[in-house]
């Protein structure tokens, strides 16, 4: 077995990791959610996307300063260790390895399968599945197959996984850029029947007259922007990472914001606001490109999800390795072994796959069928955001305390922006998954409902088990 991971990824791969792990299913469907939250107020929706993007950029800028100073194995875990200490680094690493990354990865495997089957059934209506592509057993089985294939690619050849990430990132941009450009032109040159103004002018004149829905809309964009931090998981494999990783984070973040804004505008050029609220973005694609492209869209969505899945999996299968090289976690010597043939930490990869599979079963049982877990059934694709951003805040505070030789901009201003952005994300998650459903259930006369509370209980139990592993290892030493 070799020691250490090779420097094999360039700047392009790093940028694709940032873009690829964020731009997935959310970019296609959060446009509808934002319109629903703002009651069809297009300018307010634009503002929501800008605020959500600003929060992401705040955190990116803060982590860029850390990326220029710290480099070891796994960027986020490195930063936690350098700012607070080894125990906190283990806590952060165990969380991202066992909860954050695999929970999102499992959902992306399901989404990839779902939209592929939507494409197949739209092209061939006689193709029979048990139920619909959202909840069918065929979707679940296909998701498992896709997960294993992507896992095999990542485990057997990290270079091939990198090529898949770059290819999927560029492929997923095709429908987004087409809609952004062609949809905008179409909306500026066509009118609704009987309307004197163009489609875009008509849609952007729609105003709810109230800015109170803005917070809920920003919450929707917050989840669409999530995932970029996992690009730091290949920190030790990026050539000249102290230079290239910060560039990738900033450039990738700007690309993401631009894609979301222009896609949102392009979609508004293809259908009435109310249609977009009720039916999502598909009618806009059909209007602008015709029925054939409307069906092909689902295939592009599947490819988009596949790219995000690959990006997330690249991060989560390295999780146990990043802990083991610090002599922490279960089976340290086994987890930090590097296979000489593939150059990958194979044992860590296998454990990562098992954890993702477990979360996939949970997601199906909690969200896609009659809940198996009662009150403990929560949306595992969104709720981990409450803890990942909460865990950022102590790191930013400690960074400001320790890095006394840095200029004020890097030492105080950028980390402070990161704290503000992180605090907003935490509050947004508590509001949308705690307070809002609690009030709605109370007004409806239903039982106690607070998904975020039951998620935090699960989080506490898992993390307590993780700390027991760390303690056990320390005692053995």
């Amino acid at each position: 077995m070799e020691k250490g991971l090779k420097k094999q990824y360039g700047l392009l791969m790093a940028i694709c990791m940032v873009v690829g792990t964020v731009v997935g299913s959310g970019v296609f469907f959060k446009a509808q959610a934002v319109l629903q939250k703002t009651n069809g107020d297009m300018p307010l929706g634009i503002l929501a996307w800008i605020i959500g993007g600003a929060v992401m950029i705040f955190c990116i800028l803060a982590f860029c300063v850390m990326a220029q100073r710290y480099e070891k194995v796994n960027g986020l875990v490195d930063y936690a260790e350098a700012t607070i200490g080894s125990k906190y680094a283990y806590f952060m690493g165990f969380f991202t390895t066992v909860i954050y990354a695999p929970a999102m990865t499992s959902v992306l495997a399901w989404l990839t399968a779902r939209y592929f089957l939507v494409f197949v059934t739209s092209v061939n209506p006689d193709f029979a599945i048990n139920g619909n592509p959202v909840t069918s057993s065929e979707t679940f089985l296909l998701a498992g197959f896709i997960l294993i294939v992507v896992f095999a690619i990542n485990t057997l050849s990290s270079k091939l996984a990198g090529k898949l990430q770059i290819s999927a990132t560029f492929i997923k941009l095709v429908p987004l850029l087409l809609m952004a450009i062609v949809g905008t032109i179409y909306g500026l040159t066509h009118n609704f029947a009987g309307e004197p103004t163009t489609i875009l002018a008509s849609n952007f004149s729609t105003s709810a007259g109230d800015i109170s829905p803005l917070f809920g809309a920003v919450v929707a964009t917050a989840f669409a922007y999530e995932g970029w931090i996992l690009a730091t998981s290949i920190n030790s494999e990026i050539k000249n990472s102290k230079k290239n990783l910060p560039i990738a984070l900033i450039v990738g973040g700007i690309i993401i914001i631009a894609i979301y804004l222009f896609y949102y505008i392009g979609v508004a050029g293809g259908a009435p606001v109310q249609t977009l609220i009720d039916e999502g973005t598909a009618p806009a694609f059909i209007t602008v490109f015709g029925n054939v492209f409307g069906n092909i869209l689902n295939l592009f969505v599947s490819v988009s999800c596949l790219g995000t899945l690959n990006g997330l999996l690249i991060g989560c299968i390295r999780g146990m390795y990043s802990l083991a090289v610090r002599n922490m976690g279960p089976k340290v010597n086994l987890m930090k072994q590097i296979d000489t043939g593939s150059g990958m930490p194979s044992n860590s990869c296998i454990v990562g796959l098992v954890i993702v599979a477990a979360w996939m079963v949970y997601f199906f049982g909690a969200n896609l069928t009659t809940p198996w877990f009662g009150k403990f059934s929560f949306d595992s694709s969104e709720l981990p955001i409450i803890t990942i951003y909460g865990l950022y805040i102590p790191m930013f505070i400690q960074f400001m305390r320790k890095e006394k030789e840095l200029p004020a901009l890097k030492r105080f201003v950028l980390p402070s922006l990161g704290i503000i952005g992180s605090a907003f994300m935490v509050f947004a998650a508590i509001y949308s998954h705690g307070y809002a459903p609690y009030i709605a259930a109370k007004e409806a006369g239903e039982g106690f409902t607070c998904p975020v509370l039951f998620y935090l209980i699960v989080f506490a139990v898992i993390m307590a088990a993780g700390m027991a592993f760390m303690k056990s290892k320390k005692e053995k030493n």
Side-chain angles (χ1 to χ4, degrees):
M1 296 288 180
E2 294 181 3
K3 294 183 179 181
L5 299 176
K6 295 180 179 179
K7 298 279 188 180
Q8 55 193 335
Y9 298 135
L11 177 61
L12 179 60
M13 171 58 183
I15 293 174
C16 288
M17 270 288 290
V18 176
V19 176
T21 52
V22 175
V23 179
S25 59
V27 70
F28 292 98
F29 303 105
K30 288 300 179 180
Q32 180 183 11
V34 169
L35 282 171
Q36 291 171 339
K37 296 288 186 180
T38 59
N39 298 314
D41 190 326
M42 294 296 298
L44 198 62
I46 291 289
L47 181 59
W49 284 110
I50 292 174
I51 293 174
V55 171
M56 179 184 67
I57 290 294
F58 287 169
C59 292
I60 282 177
L61 290 173
F63 276 108
C64 280
V65 179
M66 295 187 190
Q68 291 173 335
R69 297 186 67 79
Y70 314 131
E71 177 190 353
K72 191 174 180 181
V73 179
N74 181 317
L76 181 58
V77 180
D78 294 341
Y79 311 152
E81 183 176 41
T83 54
I84 300 180
S86 59
K87 289 185 178 180
Y88 196 79
Y90 174 80
F91 191 86
M92 176 68 82
F94 194 84
F95 167 69
T96 56
T97 298
V98 180
I99 299 177
Y100 178 75
M104 290 196 296
T105 303
S106 66
V107 175
L108 263 298
W110 166 74
L111 284 170
T112 304
R114 168 187 169 179
Y115 293 116
F116 180 76
L117 287 180
V118 168
F119 168 73
V120 171
T121 54
S122 64
V123 173
N124 181 16
D126 294 329
F127 184 83
I129 60 173
N130 182 25
N132 63 68
V134 177
T135 60
S136 72
S137 56
E138 289 89 347
T139 304
F140 187 71
L141 292 174
L142 180 58
F145 174 76
I146 291 171
L147 179 64
I148 292 172
V149 170
V150 177
F151 165 80
I153 291 173
N154 276 272
T155 303
L156 297 177
S157 175
S158 57
K159 288 186 178 180
L160 182 58
K163 291 179 180 179
L164 173 61
Q165 185 64 24
I166 293 172
S167 300
T169 299
F170 283 104
I171 290 172
K172 75 169 64 176
L173 293 179
V174 171
L176 299 174
L177 295 177
L178 281 175
M179 176 52 81
I181 298 170
V182 181
T184 300
I185 295 173
Y186 186 93
L188 290 171
T189 56
H190 289 73
N191 297 22
F192 292 129
E195 291 285 339
T197 58
T198 64
I199 296 175
L200 272 177
S202 177
N203 281 343
F204 272 85
S205 66
T206 304
S207 175
D210 180 15
I211 65 169
S212 59
L214 178 62
F215 181 78
V218 175
V219 171
T221 69
F223 296 120
Y225 282 118
E226 183 58 18
W228 56 269
I229 190 62
L230 293 177
T232 65
S233 66
I234 59 170
N235 175 44
S236 64
E237 298 168 79
I238 297 175
K239 300 172 184 177
N240 195 7
S241 66
K242 287 186 177 181
K243 175 184 176 182
N244 286 333
L245 184 55
I247 294 174
L249 289 171
I250 294 173
V251 172
I254 293 172
I255 290 173
I256 292 163
I257 294 172
I259 289 171
Y260 278 43
L261 285 175
F262 288 110
Y263 174 76
Y264 185 76
I265 295 171
V267 164
V273 169
Q274 193 57 51
T275 300
L276 295 172
I277 292 175
D278 295 337
E279 302 178 36
T281 59
F285 274 87
I286 293 174
T287 300
V288 175
F289 297 102
N291 287 313
V292 174
F293 191 87
N295 288 328
I296 294 176
L297 168 64
N298 291 311
L299 180 61
F300 278 105
V301 174
S302 182
V303 173
S304 174
C305 294
L306 180 65
T308 309
L309 166 63
N310 186 65
L312 290 171
L313 196 61
I314 286 175
C316 72
I317 61 177
R318 289 163 169 79
M320 285 296 175
Y321 172 81
S322 69
L323 297 176
V325 294
R326 292 172 170 81
N327 292 317
M328 292 180 173
K331 302 293 182 182
V332 168
N333 292 331
L334 192 64
M335 291 299 112
K336 65 182 178 182
Q337 290 178 352
I338 303 294
D339 182 75
T340 55
S342 64
M344 291 291 293
S346 300
N347 297 320
S348 174
C349 292
I350 293 171
V351 172
L353 176 65
V354 172
I355 296 173
V356 173
W359 275 107
M360 184 183 295
V361 173
Y362 173 84
F363 179 77
F364 182 84
N367 298 279
L368 302 180
T369 185
T370 303
W372 296 349
F373 309 103
K375 296 289 186 180
F376 288 91
S377 297
F378 53 79
D379 188 344
S380 55
S381 68
E382 295 187 350
L383 275 175
I385 195 175
I386 193 174
T387 33
I388 191 71
Y389 280 94
L391 291 171
Y392 291 161
I393 295 175
M395 294 167 58
F396 293 144
I397 293 173
Q398 283 297 101
F399 184 84
M400 289 189 290
R401 290 184 59 192
K402 287 187 173 184
E403 299 295 339
K404 297 179 180 180
E405 73 281 6
L406 289 177
L409 175 65
K410 291 186 176 182
R411 183 184 175 189
F412 294 113
V413 177
L414 297 183
S416 295
L417 291 175
I419 291 172
I420 293 171
S422 298
F424 172 82
M425 290 292 198
V426 171
F427 182 75
I430 293 174
Y431 179 88
S432 59
H433 288 278
Y435 177 77
Y438 168 76
I439 293 299
K442 184 178 180 181
E443 292 177 349
E446 300 174 354
F448 177 77
T449 300
C450 187
V452 70
L453 174 62
F454 295 101
Y455 160 72
L456 288 175
I457 293 174
V458 173
F459 164 78
V461 171
I462 293 175
M463 295 310 298
M467 298 308 287
F469 276 120
M470 183 180 72
K471 182 178 180 181
S472 175
K473 178 64 185 175
K474 183 177 179 181
E475 288 175 352
K476 289 179 181 179
N477 290 338

